């Protein structure tokens, strides 16, 4: 009788597939890796061979240089790749551009590794695709019942109301450089903000990459020192979260410090960062999305890789799904620089 742990098992390097001899999102260099998405806690350089979506490979190349691995194999969504006796298929995770779940099949057993994911619509990437499986291996970054994220459109509307209310001030939004910044830009465009959005230099290369992959970000310009301070009044500037408290922010007129993150639901975090306008916009599933996903898939077993594992495992057990917490280390909280 085949056991799930015969196909995937946790090791210090990450989830390991012995029959296919590869790791999924390993936290240290390995010979063969399957990478779910381009965030640095999941996509590291130095591997022998990397299998990922073309977008994720491009992101890794942009961040680490063209030779980030000895060999790179792109796999489109839905394409079946054989690793010895194991079939690997990447399907959309809805997290950021190129993000994927890894569907691993072997001798009639199907295990799905979610990577990071969300169930909300995102104009910058395909939506999460549920896959029937024997074992669903999920994240739980926001795996507590208190985390219930509001509608993205409502948060963007709050931002635009503040811009209208304080036309003499600049609005400076801290947003993670990969995924969150581009999503905020697209949501602003959908809400009718057609003006130039000014961006920190740390975002420019990834913005250009998103554009190359067909994501229209509209008019952007560098938030450089070549402009007078008062020219930024009434404007929206987006930079990495660290820029909110950096000298860089002093070039703007009385800036309203905003921060887009699921953690902005925690008021203490907003206060610690000096955030005046917290925007609760997350690229991770909240509690309702996590539990609805498990309820929809109804796997034979639920494994939880990282985050708030205990609460989600308890919820699963109460709803008839056997669960275990893997407590993998090396995966960071959302939006930390």
């Amino acid at each position: 009788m085949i056991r799930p742990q015969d196909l995937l098992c946790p090791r210090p390097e990450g989830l390991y597939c012995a029959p296919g001899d590869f790791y999924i999102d390993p936290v240290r260099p390995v010979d063969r890796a399957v990478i779910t998405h381009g965030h640095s806690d999941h996509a590291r350089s130095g591997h022998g061979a990397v299998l990922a979506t073309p977008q994720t490979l491009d992101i890794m190349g942009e961040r680490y240089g063209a030779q980030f691995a000895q060999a790179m194999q792109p796999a489109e969504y839905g394409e079946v790749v054989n690793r010895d006796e194991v079939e690997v298929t990447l399907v959309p995770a809805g997290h950021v551009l190129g993000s994927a779940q890894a569907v691993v099949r072997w001798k009639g057993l199907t295990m799905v590794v979610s990577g990071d994911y969300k169930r909300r619509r995102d104009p910058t990437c395909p939506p999460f695709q549920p896959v029937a499986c024997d074992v669903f291996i999920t994240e739980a970054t926001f795996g507590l019942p208190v985390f219930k994220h509001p509608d993205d459109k409502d948060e963007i509307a709050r931002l635009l109301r503040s811009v209208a209310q304080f036309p003499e001030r600049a609005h400076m939004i801290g947003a993670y450089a990969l995924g969150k910044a581009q999503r905020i830009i697209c949501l602003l465009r959908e809400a009718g903000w057609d003006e130039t959005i000014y961006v920190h230099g740390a975002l420019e290369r990834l913005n250009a990459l998103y554009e190359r992959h067909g994501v229209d970000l509209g008019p952007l310009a560098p938030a450089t020192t070549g402009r007078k301070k008062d020219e930024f009044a009434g404007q929206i500037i987006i930079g990495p979260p660290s820029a909110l408290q950096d000298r860089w922010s002093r070039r703007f007129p009385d800036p309203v410090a905003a921060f887009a993150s699921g953690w902005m639901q925690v008021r203490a975090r907003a206060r610690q960062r000096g955030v005046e306008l917290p925007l609760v916009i997350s690229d991770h599933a909240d509690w309702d999305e996590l539990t609805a996903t498990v309820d929809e898939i109804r796997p034979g077993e639920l494994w939880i890789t990282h985050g708030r594992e205990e609460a989600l495992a308890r919820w699963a057990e109460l709803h008839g799904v056997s669960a275990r917490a893997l407590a993998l280390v090396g995966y960071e909280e959302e939006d930390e620089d």
Side-chain angles (χ1 to χ4, degrees), residues 187-198:
L187 290 172
L188 281 165
R189 300 307 186 198
E190 290 182 346
W193 185 263
D194 298 325
E195 298 188 35
T196 298
I197 295 174
Y198 296 92

Side-chain angles (χ1 to χ4, degrees), residues 35 115 119 131 137 145-146 157-158 192 214 217 221 239 252 259 265 267 295 303 311 313 315 331 334:
I35 303 298
R119 302 300 302 267
V131 177
I137 305 175
V146 295
R158 288 178 56 237
L217 301 177
F252 309 118
F259 186 21
Q265 187 176 337
R267 293 182 181 180
D295 211 27
W303 293 5
W315 179 92
Y331 302 103
E334 181 198 54

Side-chain angles (χ1 to χ4, degrees), residues 1-251:
M1 187 177 187
I2 299 173
R3 303 172 302 168
Q5 55 266 39
D6 295 330
L7 177 56
L8 289 175
C9 65
R11 287 189 176 182
E13 298 89 343
L15 278 173
Y16 178 61
C17 176
D21 189 25
F22 63 84
Y23 288 85
I24 299 175
D25 291 350
V27 298
R28 62 187 69 169
V30 298
D31 290 337
R32 297 206 293 186
V34 174
I35 303 298
T36 63
H37 66 281
H39 281 145
S40 58
D41 56 337
H42 291 255
R44 291 169 166 85
S45 62
H47 303 307
V50 169
L51 172 71
T53 63
Q55 298 91 336
T56 294
L57 293 177
D58 283 354
I59 289 166
M60 294 180 72
E62 192 67 57
R63 294 189 131 186
Y64 302 127
Q67 303 303 314
F68 64 84
Q70 296 175 28
M72 289 79 81
Q73 182 177 357
E76 299 288 349
Y77 290 131
E79 178 182 346
V80 178
V81 178
N82 290 298
R83 283 286 182 264
D84 299 331
E85 300 177 347
V86 177
E87 290 184 353
V88 180
T89 308
L90 302 179
V91 301
H95 181 54
V96 296
L97 180 70
S99 62
Q101 303 169 80
V103 182
V104 183
R105 294 186 172 97
W106 178 62
K107 296 185 177 180
L109 179 67
T110 299
M111 301 179 72
V112 175
V113 182
S114 73
D116 290 338
Y117 71 99
K118 66 176 178 294
R119 302 300 302 267
R120 311 278 176 114
R121 172 187 171 275
D122 184 337
T124 71
C125 63
F128 177 95
Q129 178 182 320
V131 177
C133 56
D134 300 292
V135 180
F136 183 54
I137 305 175
T138 182
E139 62 137 321
T141 302
F142 291 102
L144 289 174
V146 295
F147 290 115
K148 296 187 179 183
H149 302 148
D151 188 283
D152 303 341
K153 293 180 180 178
D154 293 341
E155 295 299 281
I156 293 297
R158 288 178 56 237
L159 168 62
L160 293 179
R161 283 197 299 271
S162 182
V163 172
Q165 185 177 1
F166 302 107
E168 74 284 2
R169 304 176 69 184
H171 279 66
M172 190 173 60
I173 305 169
Y176 194 68
L178 170 58
K180 185 66 64 64
Q182 296 78 23
R183 182 178 170 205
I184 294 295
I185 292 169
C186 287
L187 290 172
L188 281 165
R189 300 307 186 198
E190 290 182 346
W193 185 263
D194 298 325
E195 298 188 35
T196 298
I197 295 174
Y198 296 92
V199 296
H200 189 285
L203 308 184
E204 291 180 5
R205 290 193 304 170
L206 286 171
N207 286 345
L209 185 150
Y210 266 66
E211 293 267 13
R212 291 198 300 272
H213 282 278
V215 180
D216 183 9
L217 301 177
L220 305 175
T224 59
T225 53
R227 300 176 184 274
K228 295 180 179 179
K229 195 169 188 176
D230 59 5
E231 290 183 41
F232 290 104
Q235 301 302 317
I236 293 175
I237 301 103
I238 301 179
S242 59
L244 292 178
Q245 298 173 321
D246 190 73
R247 288 178 58 191
W248 178 80
S249 66
R250 299 176 190 171
R251 69 186 64 183

